[in-house]
Amino acid sequence: MNLRLLRTHSYLAAGLFGLVGGVVAWSVGEPVWYYGRKLLAKWPFLHAVFGESPDVLFAATLGLYLGFFLGGVEGILACQMRVLAQGLIVGGAAGMVGGFLGSFLGEVAFRLLGGSQAGRALGWAVFGAFLGVSPGLALRTVDRAARGFLGGSIGGFVGGMLFFLVSALFKNPLLGRAASIPLLGAALGMCYGLSQTLMRKMWITVLSGRNEGYQYPIGARPVTLGSSNRADVCLIGDPPLPGLAAKLVPSEKGVVLERLDVDRVEINREPSEGKILRDGDVIRIRGVRVLFSVRDAKGGGQERSPRPETKPTGSPSSEAEQRVGSSPNGKPKSSRGACSFVGLSEPVLGRKYPLTKDQIRIGRDDDNDVVVDHLSVSLHHAEIARKGRFWVLFDLGSSNGTFVQGRRIRENALKRGFVVEIGQVKFRFEEE
C-alpha cells in the first residue's frame, strides 16, 4: 500500500498496524497463556495475582504488542525516530497496564451483568482507552490524548464484541483467538484513527518532501517545523531546512506563523510576518510546501449561488467547456477526482468546467483552457494545478487579481465550496 495514502488517511494506517499487531500479539500471547496455565498449576500462590486462569497475563501480553504497533504508527508516518521511540515505549507500557486492568474490570463487569459478554467488552474498552491516550501522552498533547481516549474506548468495546462473536464461530479455541485477536487490533486502530481525523479542528498537511501527505493536528500548544528530530513536524526538502525553521503559534485571534532559523517563510507566496493563517493557506519554507486546514471554516466571500444550468441535448457548448471537458474526438473525458469550476456571474453564469487535466489555465486569450471573455480578466490570468490530492490556484501576475473567499491571493489551496474570483468573474470550486 502506498505510504503517502496511509499518511493522508491515517486511520487506515492505524487499522493496518492494529491488524498486524494483533497477529504478532496472538503469536506471542498463545505460548504465554499455555505456560502461564502450567505455572499456575505448579505454584498456586500466583492465583493471588493472576486469578484462577492466565487470562490476565495473556491480556497484558496482547496489550504490550498492540501498544507497540499502535504507538509506532505516528513515528513511521512522520519519518521521525524520536516520535517512533516515544510511541513504542509509552504505547507498550500503556497497553500492558490497560491489559491488566481491562481483564480484571471486564471479569467484574461480566459477573455484575449476569454473564453477558458485553461486560467483558467493557473491559476491552478500558484496555482500548489506555492504548488510545498513549500517543497523546508520548507527544505531550492533551487534545490528542482526549480524542484517543474516546476513540480507543469505542474501538476496544467494538473489538471486544467482535472477539467474542468471531471466537464463537470456531470449535477450536486456538483458531478462534487466531481469527478474533487481529480483528480486535484492527478495530482499535481504526476507531482511534477515525477519532483523531474526525474530531480535529485544525491541522497541517505536508504537500512536498519526503513525508508528503503527512498530517499533524494543531491544538493549544505551539507546533515547530524543521528538519530536526526535535521538531514536532519533520520537513525534509531540497535545499535542506534548518533544524527548527518555523513555528505555528495558536492565539485568541488564530494561528500565527513565526519564522525561526530560516531567512524567509511565505504564506501563499507572500511574506508571513505577523499574518494569521486561514483555511487553505499554503506555507512555503524553502522548497517545502505545507497546507493549513480548518474544519468547517467559514471565510468571507461565500455566497449562495444559483444551480448550474443544464444544457439541452444537442445545444452547442462554449469553446472553453469543450476544451476543458472533452477529448479531441469530442467524447467526454473522465474527471479524476470529479472536481469542477461552476460559474456564479456573467459571462460564465451557470456553466460548469470539469477539471480533467493536472494543469488548467484561465484567462481572456483563446489559448487558455478556460476562456473568460471579460475586461477584468487578464490574457493569462490564473492557473489551477493538481498537487497530490489537492488543487492549488495560482495567480499569474494578473492586473486585477485573483481572490479566494474574498481575499486576494498569489497561491491558495482549494476546498469544496470555495468561491474564486478571476478579476470580477466569480466561480465556485466543487468536489463530488
Side-chain angles (χ1 to χ4, degrees), residues 10-176:
S10 56
Y11 56 90
L12 294 179
L16 179 62
F17 275 68
L19 180 69
V20 176
V23 173
V24 175
W26 169 79
S27 64
V28 177
E30 282 297 331
V32 169
W33 189 86
Y34 176 78
Y35 288 106
R37 187 174 55 179
K38 287 192 171 184
L39 286 175
L40 287 175
K42 186 176 181 180
W43 295 321
F45 68 89
L46 291 176
H47 291 173
V49 179
F50 299 109
E52 298 298 322
S53 75
D55 288 349
V56 172
L57 192 59
F58 179 68
T61 304
L62 295 186
L64 173 66
Y65 284 92
L66 282 174
F68 273 148
F69 276 82
L70 291 177
V73 172
E74 192 73 21
I76 292 174
L77 296 182
C79 298
Q80 285 182 274
M81 289 302 300
R82 175 184 62 85
V83 176
L84 176 61
Q86 289 176 343
L88 291 175
I89 294 170
V90 177
M96 184 179 289
V97 174
F100 267 114
L101 291 179
S103 181
F104 274 122
L105 295 176
E107 197 60 33
V108 171
F110 175 76
R111 294 173 182 174
L112 290 177
L113 294 177
S116 171
Q117 295 291 3
R120 285 177 174 156
L122 288 174
W124 286 115
V126 173
F127 167 66
F130 272 83
L131 285 180
V133 300
S134 61
L137 295 177
L139 296 171
R140 302 184 301 280
T141 53
V142 176
D143 51 341
R144 178 175 288 207
R147 292 192 297 267
F149 176 85
L150 179 61
S153 300
I154 295 173
F157 183 82
V158 172
M161 293 303 295
L162 284 174
F163 178 88
F164 299 119
L165 291 174
V166 174
S167 297
L169 299 176
F170 295 85
K171 292 182 179 180
N172 188 329
L174 180 67
L175 294 178

Side-chain angles (χ1 to χ4, degrees), residues 17 35 48 53 94 150 164 176 185-186 233 251 260 280 303 313 402-403 405:
F17 275 68
Y35 288 106
S53 75
L150 179 61
F164 299 119
V233 180
S251 64
L260 296 178
E303 61 183 71
T313 305
T402 302
F403 299 80
Q405 299 291 82

Side-chain angles (χ1 to χ4, degrees), residues 307-337:
R307 186 183 297 273
E309 297 176 41
T310 305
K311 296 183 181 296
T313 305
S315 64
S317 300
S318 71
E319 182 182 349
E321 288 176 290
Q322 289 178 355
R323 187 179 295 126
V324 175
S326 304
S327 58
N329 60 10
K331 294 181 181 180
K333 232 177 180 179
S334 62
S335 177
R336 185 178 64 168

Side-chain angles (χ1 to χ4, degrees), residues 25 87 91 118 176 178 188-190 203 227 243 311 339 347 350 370 382 384 415 423 428:
L188 262 170
M190 186 72 76
W203 67 96
S227 61
K311 296 183 181 296
C339 297
V370 176
I384 179 171
K415 289 189 175 182
R428 184 178 63 247

Side-chain angles (χ1 to χ4, degrees), residues 115-295:
S116 171
Q117 295 291 3
R120 285 177 174 156
L122 288 174
W124 286 115
V126 173
F127 167 66
F130 272 83
L131 285 180
V133 300
S134 61
L137 295 177
L139 296 171
R140 302 184 301 280
T141 53
V142 176
D143 51 341
R144 178 175 288 207
R147 292 192 297 267
F149 176 85
L150 179 61
S153 300
I154 295 173
F157 183 82
V158 172
M161 293 303 295
L162 284 174
F163 178 88
F164 299 119
L165 291 174
V166 174
S167 297
L169 299 176
F170 295 85
K171 292 182 179 180
N172 188 329
L174 180 67
L175 294 178
R177 291 191 293 272
S180 57
I181 290 175
L183 290 179
L184 168 66
L188 262 170
M190 186 72 76
C191 289
Y192 166 79
L194 285 173
S195 70
Q196 297 293 346
T197 299
L198 298 177
M199 296 176 65
R200 63 190 180 185
K201 295 180 180 179
M202 298 181 293
W203 67 96
I204 55 175
T205 304
V206 181
L207 297 180
S208 60
R210 193 175 72 183
N211 55 347
E212 179 181 348
Y214 175 62
Q215 299 181 345
Y216 189 92
I218 308 297
R221 72 179 188 88
V223 175
T224 53
L225 313 175
S227 61
S228 169
N229 258 322
R230 295 182 292 117
D232 295 307
V233 180
C234 187
L235 302 176
I236 308 298
D238 186 19
L241 277 65
L244 295 176
K247 180 166 62 173
L248 299 172
V249 182
S251 64
E252 293 181 358
K253 295 181 179 180
V255 177
V256 179
L257 178 65
E258 293 185 358
R259 179 170 56 87
L260 296 178
D261 298 332
V262 70
D263 52 352
R264 182 179 176 87
V265 176
E266 297 178 341
I267 299 176
N268 303 325
R269 293 190 174 181
E270 296 180 352
S272 66
E273 296 298 328
K275 289 188 177 180
I276 303 293
L277 286 168
R278 296 178 60 176
D279 186 43
D281 280 346
V282 177
I283 302 166
R284 280 179 176 266
I285 308 175
R286 293 188 179 172
V288 180
R289 301 191 318 277
V290 177
L291 172 67
F292 177 76
S293 300
V294 180
R295 186 176 302 282

